[in-house]
Amino acid sequence: SPGQKEQECYCHQVFIDKDDDLIVPTVQQLVEHSFHSNHLKLAEVPSCFIIQMPRFGKNYKMFEKIIPSLELDVTDLLCDSPRECCLCGELATQECEECFKDKLFSKTGLKQYCDMCWRQVHYHSSRRSHGSMKLDCPVEFARTGKAMVPREKMQLFAVLCIETSHYVSFIKYGPEDHQWMFFDSMSDRHATLPEQLLCKHYLCSNCIEDIQSKGAGQGVVDCPLCSSMFPLDPSQVLTPGVPSPDKLEEAAAFPGPAAGPPSCGDDATEGKVCDPLLGKPSPDLAEKRCQEHNEALEFYCEDDGECVCGPCTTTGNHKSHSLMSFEKAAAQIKDKVLNSVKSLLQTQQGYHFKYQDLQKSEEELKMQVGRLQGNLSKKFMAWRSSLEEDEENVLRMIDEEANRLTSKSSSCSKTLNDKMDLIRQIDDAAQDLTKCDRLEFLE
């Protein structure tokens, strides 16, 4: 709890705020959001974990549907436990609560990083204010020097739905993923038994009524599990009753009871399944025959990547090859595909973060360029105004100087003209004197 107080309990009531992004959540998402909102951690991996979903009445539902998680990964919910970086997979040293609510990240999974990924993710300006919470790695694990952090997962055992005194449940009765059985507390009172469609999938009576009402206009029923379509006539569509105990594997599935994988092909009544190893539809993998020996396929050749029969392993081309059972081969191939997908998702997430950062950097660059252009325009406008004012002042000074010089020149010219007139008068008087006799000249 937030006060670092340990409570011994095996039940957790999910309390979360309304989140419009969680439309059809999984149990994994709800548990992580609830632990994050209430600042809770697990002191240890519980031997049994009862999780109560958000309550709702008949008139209000927080979620229309909740997808049960067949595995609940509690690694990131443990306190003082080694955790891996959500980006690179190395040992995490810091956790960020703000990144858990960041819409750029995935909608599930707590966000913890190693030191390098923390710096890269929080280098962006929008995440620089995020606060970090230091993670304590056990000394024993740090001494081992292991790079991979072990994942702590819990298997789903049962799903219980209660409405007043009526409850239905799905209970796991075996180790295989498809080994589930259905129980209804009021099956002896009214027709609530699962009903089987022509595609071999089982649905409860409420779901049957729902899909019948939706397809009433077109006269067909659409299976919500495999999207196969059938006539609306219940006698042609439904096979009431729960399968016998020796056929539980045929009818069990989860989160919805089903007979097997979705149908392939156009004819839904053929009941074909898609063979993941052969890559094409077949009625049943056990009935598939070897084309060379006409024997039933029994093993998977790891060297050639194909299914083989018994004679192929003794006298055929696969005699010295590495062989394994279909279950083991499917598990290995599934693990390889999941690891590849996980690596691709991590790479995609990294590129997505870089792309988002580039977009925001581009927007910031555009804003900076706009501000720079505005500042330059203002400066050039001020410079232009100053130059125009200086031009007016210079032209005015030139005009004033020209007027002063012109006025001075005119004054000098007038004085010079007056003196020239005086000289001319003196000259005329001197000429007149030269024409007189000497006595008059001397006088």
Side-chain angles (χ1 to χ4, degrees):
S1 64
Q4 300 296 321
K5 181 181 179 182
E6 293 187 8
Q7 301 177 3
E8 295 184 1
C9 60
Y10 295 93
C11 183
H12 175 67
Q13 168 72 53
V14 173
F15 289 102
I16 62 172
D17 297 329
K18 182 64 176 178
D19 190 346
D20 296 333
D21 293 332
L22 290 178
I23 301 176
V24 185
T26 64
V27 174
Q28 180 81 38
Q29 289 177 307
L30 293 179
V31 172
E32 289 176 347
H33 278 75
S34 179
F35 269 61
H36 176 269
S37 300
N38 298 281
H39 304 285
L40 299 176
K41 290 292 183 182
L42 292 174
E44 60 182 19
V45 180
S47 58
C48 178
F49 199 16
I50 302 174
I51 304 173
Q52 187 174 351
M53 295 297 102
R55 295 183 178 181
F56 49 80
K58 294 183 178 180
N59 299 326
Y60 171 76
K61 291 184 178 180
M62 179 174 288
F63 302 106
E64 288 292 333
K65 294 179 177 64
I66 297 176
I67 301 176
S69 301
L70 295 180
E71 282 188 343
L72 182 65
D73 193 336
V74 298
T75 307
D76 297 337
L77 303 178
L78 293 170
C79 180
D80 298 336
S81 175
R83 296 160 64 178
E84 66 178 16
C85 176
C86 62
L87 296 182
C88 67
E90 296 294 332
L91 185 63
T93 58
Q94 303 180 69
E95 180 181 356
C96 182
E97 293 189 352
E98 286 86 352
C99 285
F100 180 77
K101 298 176 288 186
D102 196 328
K103 295 184 181 297
L104 294 179
F105 293 84
S106 59
K107 297 181 177 63
T108 181
L110 300 176
K111 300 299 177 291
Q112 58 275 339
Y113 310 94
C114 62
D115 292 336
M116 181 178 296
C117 292
W118 172 273
R119 290 192 295 269
Q120 292 178 349
V121 171
H122 294 84
Y123 181 76
H124 195 275
S125 57
S126 64
R127 294 188 287 271
R128 290 177 183 173
S129 60
H130 289 189
S132 65
M133 183 179 69
K134 288 290 184 179
L135 299 179
D136 295 330
C137 179
V139 179
E140 295 80 3
F141 182 82
R143 288 175 180 175
T144 59
K146 294 181 179 180
M148 297 297 295
V149 176
R151 308 300 300 182
E152 300 291 347
K153 298 181 180 180
M154 303 183 68
Q155 302 295 325
L156 181 64
F157 175 75
V159 177
L160 179 63
C161 302
I162 303 175
E163 182 179 359
T164 315
S165 60
H166 180 204
Y167 68 91
V168 296
S169 60
F170 291 90
I171 303 174
K172 192 172 181 62
Y173 69 92
E176 302 296 332
D177 291 341
H178 60 274
Q179 293 179 335
W180 289 82
M181 58 189 302
F182 174 81
F183 178 79
D184 189 343
S185 65
M186 300 181 67
S187 59
D188 59 337
R189 305 183 187 183
H190 56 83
T192 59
L193 296 178
E195 299 178 349
Q196 187 182 34
L197 300 177
L198 292 179
C199 61
K200 308 302 182 183
H201 286 130
Y202 285 85
L203 299 177
C204 67
S205 58
N206 292 334
C207 293
I208 291 293
E209 294 176 359
D210 187 27
I211 63 175
Q212 285 180 343
S213 62
K214 291 181 179 179
Q218 301 178 355
V220 295
V221 173
D222 188 3
C223 176
L225 299 177
C226 65
S227 301
S228 300
M229 302 184 71
F230 313 100
L232 187 59
D233 185 3
S235 63
Q236 301 179 11
V237 179
L238 306 177
T239 305
V242 177
S244 58
D246 58 343
K247 294 185 178 180
L248 279 174
E249 293 184 1
E250 182 182 356
F254 198 78
S263 300
C264 299
D266 298 329
D267 189 0
T269 62
E270 293 180 2
K272 293 182 178 181
V273 299
C274 186
D275 180 1
L277 298 178
L278 298 177
K280 57 184 179 181
S282 64
D284 189 355
L285 187 60
E287 299 177 1
K288 190 71 176 179
R289 295 281 181 177
C290 175
Q291 297 181 358
E292 182 178 355
H293 302 98
N294 197 26
E295 296 289 340
L297 298 176
E298 300 179 16
F299 305 99
Y300 177 75
C301 178
E302 189 176 6
D303 296 341
D304 296 334
E306 60 183 16
C307 299
V308 297
C309 64
C312 289
T313 63
T314 57
T315 60
N317 298 328
H318 307 274
K319 181 177 180 181
S320 60
H321 291 182
S322 177
L323 304 174
M324 63 181 67
S325 64
F326 290 151
E327 291 78 7
K328 185 176 180 181
Q332 287 189 3
I333 294 174
K334 181 180 178 181
D335 290 340
K336 291 180 180 178
V337 171
L338 291 178
N339 291 333
S340 300
V341 171
K342 182 178 179 181
S343 177
L344 289 175
L345 289 176
Q346 289 178 350
T347 304
Q348 181 188 18
Q349 191 178 34
Y351 285 136
H352 179 69
F353 293 152
K354 292 181 180 178
Y355 176 73
Q356 295 292 336
D357 292 342
L358 286 175
Q359 278 191 326
K360 291 188 177 181
S361 299
E362 182 180 357
E363 294 177 358
E364 292 179 357
L365 180 61
K366 289 181 179 179
M367 294 176 60
Q368 292 178 0
V369 170
R371 288 195 296 267
L372 180 60
Q373 289 177 344
N375 294 334
L376 288 177
S377 298
K378 292 180 180 179
K379 289 183 178 181
F380 277 110
M381 187 178 297
W383 292 343
R384 192 178 297 109
S385 177
S386 177
L387 287 174
E388 290 177 353
E389 185 178 355
D390 292 342
E391 181 183 9
E392 292 179 359
N393 293 333
V394 170
L395 291 177
R396 185 173 60 255
M397 292 174 61
I398 292 174
D399 290 340
E400 292 176 354
E401 184 68 16
N403 293 332
R404 185 182 68 80
L405 293 175
T406 302
S407 175
K408 184 176 181 180
S409 176
S410 300
S411 176
C412 292
S413 178
K414 182 179 179 182
T415 303
L416 182 59
N417 289 333
D418 293 340
K419 289 183 178 181
M420 290 179 64
D421 291 340
L422 180 59
I423 292 172
R424 193 178 298 111
Q425 293 176 3
I426 294 173
D427 183 60
D428 292 340
Q431 291 293 335
D432 292 338
L433 289 175
T434 56
K435 295 177 180 179
C436 299
D437 57 10
R438 296 177 181 176
L439 182 58
E440 290 179 357
F441 179 78
L442 291 174
E443 289 178 353

